[in-house]
Amino acid sequence: MMNIVAAIKKLLGINRDMINIILFGPPGSGKGTQAKKLVEKFGLVHISTGDLFRHEMGNDTPLGKQAKEYIKKGELVPDSVTIGMLNNKVNAHPEAKGFIYDGFPRTIPQAEALDEMLAGRGQAINGLFALTVDDNEIVKRILSRGETSGRADDLDEEIIKNRIEVYKENTLEVYDYYNTQDKAVSIEGLGSIEEIASRLQAAVNTTV
Ligand code: ADP
């Protein structure tokens, strides 16, 4: 027998069974590490705009060349470029049962574009999970990551500080944007990887 709920949802263009999660937090707060854990647990597709830009830069594509001009200074890549890239990536995964957005949205226009894209698909953000880590710890973590990451933007303390400034100036307000929708949750980002992973999982479980 046809599932009536699924049929009604299809009729209304609603696809709320899809899971869409934003992993939020300052640079170096552990989003990439924790995203991998969430992918394992919930079977979602991980989209990291930082990883996508690094891939483009590695292949020296026009998009990569453009992004590099901003990334090397610790500035944000322009919204139009970033949003276009994100849309392409989502469209490339029609089979996905949901996504983890890592490093996106980083500005209010990016958040609005994401909500609009999801609404067009009958979907919505389930929750934004913000890892909280203080500035000193962030600088320490990124400098130590820089010893092995091969990322030029991880080696220079001034660039790292600029990334933290840009985060406070342009990105933090994305938390408020989702908080007014009652979707933002703060997670203590200090502790072992496993401890943080279980805090996150518990929080995500309450929203999906
Ligand atoms: P981190 O979170 O450690 O700073 P990311 O890999 O997420 O590292 O991002 C690296 C850089 O890529 C950022 O400093 C920024 O220049 C660029 N970038 C990544 N995501 C975005 C985005 N959503 N909008 C604009 N620029 C971005």
Side-chain angles (χ1 to χ4, degrees), residues 54-129:
R54 280 185 287 278
H55 182 73
E56 299 286 334
M57 291 192 291
N59 291 328
D60 216 14
T61 63
L63 173 60
K65 287 188 182 126
Q66 199 182 358
K68 192 172 180 181
E69 292 310 306
Y70 299 91
I71 292 176
K72 70 181 183 194
K73 293 186 270 187
E75 304 288 339
L76 294 181
V77 179
D79 284 338
S80 56
V81 177
T82 308
I83 291 165
M85 181 179 73
L86 189 278
N87 279 333
N88 289 341
K89 186 70 184 175
V90 170
N91 288 332
H93 286 280
E95 82 296 348
K97 64 177 222 189
F99 294 92
I100 298 178
Y101 306 94
D102 159 6
F104 185 95
R106 253 176 162 95
T107 63
I108 297 287
Q110 290 182 17
E112 289 169 347
L114 179 60
D115 279 0
E116 205 176 299
M117 179 198 75
L118 291 174
R121 294 161 176 257
Q123 300 174 39
I125 288 295
N126 297 75
L128 173 148
F129 302 91

Side-chain angles (χ1 to χ4, degrees), residues 3 9-10 16 65 104 129 182 208:
N3 180 331
K9 281 183 173 174
K10 195 168 175 221
R16 303 279 173 191
K65 287 188 182 126
F104 185 95
F129 302 91
D182 261 339
V208 299

Side-chain angles (χ1 to χ4, degrees), residues 6-179:
I8 292 172
K9 281 183 173 174
K10 195 168 175 221
L11 211 64
L12 295 174
I14 298 172
N15 198 357
R16 303 279 173 191
D17 295 337
M18 294 280 291
I19 300 173
N20 290 284
I21 288 169
I22 299 169
L23 209 47
F24 193 75
S29 55
K31 299 186 294 289
T33 307
Q34 293 300 333
K36 288 198 188 84
K37 299 254 164 206
L38 287 176
V39 164
E40 285 166 22
K41 183 77 188 170
F42 295 95
L44 306 173
V45 173
H46 175 208
I47 302 186
S48 155
T49 42
D51 286 351
L52 292 175
F53 284 132
R54 280 185 287 278
H55 182 73
E56 299 286 334
M57 291 192 291
N59 291 328
D60 216 14
T61 63
L63 173 60
K65 287 188 182 126
Q66 199 182 358
K68 192 172 180 181
E69 292 310 306
Y70 299 91
I71 292 176
K72 70 181 183 194
K73 293 186 270 187
E75 304 288 339
L76 294 181
V77 179
D79 284 338
S80 56
V81 177
T82 308
I83 291 165
M85 181 179 73
L86 189 278
N87 279 333
N88 289 341
K89 186 70 184 175
V90 170
N91 288 332
H93 286 280
E95 82 296 348
K97 64 177 222 189
F99 294 92
I100 298 178
Y101 306 94
D102 159 6
F104 185 95
R106 253 176 162 95
T107 63
I108 297 287
Q110 290 182 17
E112 289 169 347
L114 179 60
D115 279 0
E116 205 176 299
M117 179 198 75
L118 291 174
R121 294 161 176 257
Q123 300 174 39
I125 288 295
N126 297 75
L128 173 148
F129 302 91
L131 296 170
T132 58
V133 181
D134 68 68
D135 291 2
N136 288 337
E137 172 73 14
I138 288 169
V139 175
K140 264 201 304 196
R141 282 190 191 179
I142 297 181
L143 282 172
S144 106
R145 179 171 77 182
E147 291 168 14
T148 53
S149 70
R151 286 177 53 173
D153 63 341
D154 282 352
L155 291 171
D156 183 322
E157 192 159 340
E158 285 313 304
I159 293 174
I160 295 169
K161 288 199 168 134
N162 193 40
R163 284 157 63 194
I164 296 173
E165 280 315 303
V166 168
Y167 175 77
K168 290 179 179 164
E169 189 70 22
N170 302 292
T171 304
L172 249 187
E173 59 200 28
V174 171
Y175 182 93
D176 301 327
Y177 175 90
Y178 285 102
N179 201 26

